[in-house]
Amino acid sequence: MTDRLTGDRYVNPYTDFGFKMLFGTEMNKELLISFVNSLFDGKEVIKDLTYLNTEQLGTAETDRKAVFDVYCENEKGEKILIEMQRGEQQFFKDRSVYYSTFPIREQGRKGEWNYELKAVYVIGILNFTFYDEDSDYFHHEVKLVDINTKEVFYDKLTFMYLEMPKFNKTENELKDMFDKWLFVLRNLSKLMSRPDALQERVFTKLFEAAEIAKFSKQQYDEYEESLKAYRDWQNTIETAKMKSREEGRVEGIEVGRRLERIEMARKFKASGIPADIIAQNTGLSENEISEL
């Protein structure tokens, strides 16, 4: 059985259901550990993860709550927050920083406490780009840095962002586990079989978990709803972009026409033609003509 909506063999990880099934369940914790370790690239090696409550409340009942996609901690008590961002938001960076405050504040202790904190990592998998002009720079690692010395001022708060639309490596170009994980995230729902380059045991588990034919009826129904929501979201974004381009095109035409009228009015004025006659022929007001 493939997905009735698309004919896909494997689940779409950009859907809420697909992402949380692959990375947010205890039975697939091995996938999450492998993925996060590939991001750390040896700078940190996670041996185990414990899933935490994804719904976070503020310090008071009136505070705004936050709901994370995946929230966990490693064996050292360091917090890892992972978000699949399906579309661009106006204040995405603000939202990301705001979310980071929850795993920081929850470490506070009543009574005597010296304010020592465990590290917090915020990982954003982005289905959009920050900067279109730099097509090769897609893996951002952000820390608090002293502007003058260029040294890391505080190394316990790290933001990692992956601009997925910029990752375009083919199967033959995959060099390491980081490449392979990004290839899977970018292409999983398009694949009809497991690529030869992904022979590690963790990918055996991933492809088995992601195969739609193995879903229970309840899982499949939940996935269909999640996929419909994802498609609606994508269509909304594309429609907004299309309208924006059309409005920009129309606005550009109007600006061009106005510039033509202004240039014509300048020539008429230089020829000594009265302002009222120029206004009749260009559509500009006499005040506008007098300022030329």
Side-chain angles (χ1 to χ4, degrees), residues 35-51:
F35 170 66
V36 174
N37 278 333
S38 77
L39 264 65
F40 289 154
D41 192 28
K43 290 179 286 188
E44 173 119 8
V45 178
I46 295 173
K47 298 178 181 178
D48 192 19
L49 289 172
T50 301
Y51 287 103

Side-chain angles (χ1 to χ4, degrees), residues 13-160:
Y14 287 97
T15 62
D16 186 65
F17 175 89
F19 185 74
K20 291 180 179 177
M21 184 201 70
L22 293 175
F23 294 112
T25 58
E26 190 69 32
M27 64 180 295
N28 290 327
K29 183 166 65 174
E30 179 185 355
L31 305 182
L32 180 62
I33 293 174
S34 176
F35 170 66
V36 174
N37 278 333
S38 77
L39 264 65
F40 289 154
D41 192 28
K43 290 179 286 188
E44 173 119 8
V45 178
I46 295 173
K47 298 178 181 178
D48 192 19
L49 289 172
T50 301
Y51 287 103
L52 304 175
N53 185 5
T54 57
E55 184 169 326
Q56 298 294 303
L57 303 176
T59 54
E61 291 184 5
T62 55
D63 287 350
R64 187 177 182 87
K65 70 178 181 180
V67 181
F68 307 145
D69 286 339
V70 175
Y71 183 37
C72 54
E73 68 178 13
N74 62 15
E75 67 276 5
K76 296 188 290 186
E78 297 172 334
K79 313 294 182 180
I80 303 172
L81 190 166
I82 306 171
E83 287 281 295
M84 169 65 81
Q85 191 63 32
R86 296 155 189 85
E88 188 172 4
Q89 292 185 355
Q90 183 178 6
F91 299 109
F92 168 73
K93 293 178 183 178
D94 301 68
R95 177 178 180 267
S96 188
V97 172
Y98 174 70
Y99 271 25
S100 73
T101 64
F102 287 86
I104 292 173
R105 287 186 298 174
E106 73 174 11
Q107 297 185 55
R109 297 287 181 265
K110 292 183 179 179
E112 293 187 9
W113 177 48
N114 63 2
Y115 290 95
E116 182 181 10
L117 296 171
K118 298 291 186 179
V120 172
Y121 298 92
V122 179
I123 299 171
I125 304 168
L126 314 181
N127 196 22
F128 63 91
T129 61
F130 285 140
Y131 312 110
D132 291 333
E133 62 272 14
D134 193 343
S135 59
D136 295 327
Y137 182 39
F138 65 90
H139 180 195
H140 304 265
E141 184 170 332
V142 181
K143 293 179 183 286
L144 293 174
V145 173
D146 187 306
I147 294 177
N148 290 322
T149 65
K150 310 301 181 186
E151 298 291 331
V152 174
F153 174 76
Y154 186 72
D155 64 355
K156 291 184 181 180
L157 179 60
T158 304
F159 298 88
M160 294 182 174

Side-chain angles (χ1 to χ4, degrees), residues 269-287:
K269 187 176 181 180
S271 300
I273 298 175
D276 61 332
I277 302 298
I278 297 175
Q280 291 175 18
N281 285 274
T282 63
L284 300 176
S285 69
E286 292 188 30
N287 286 336

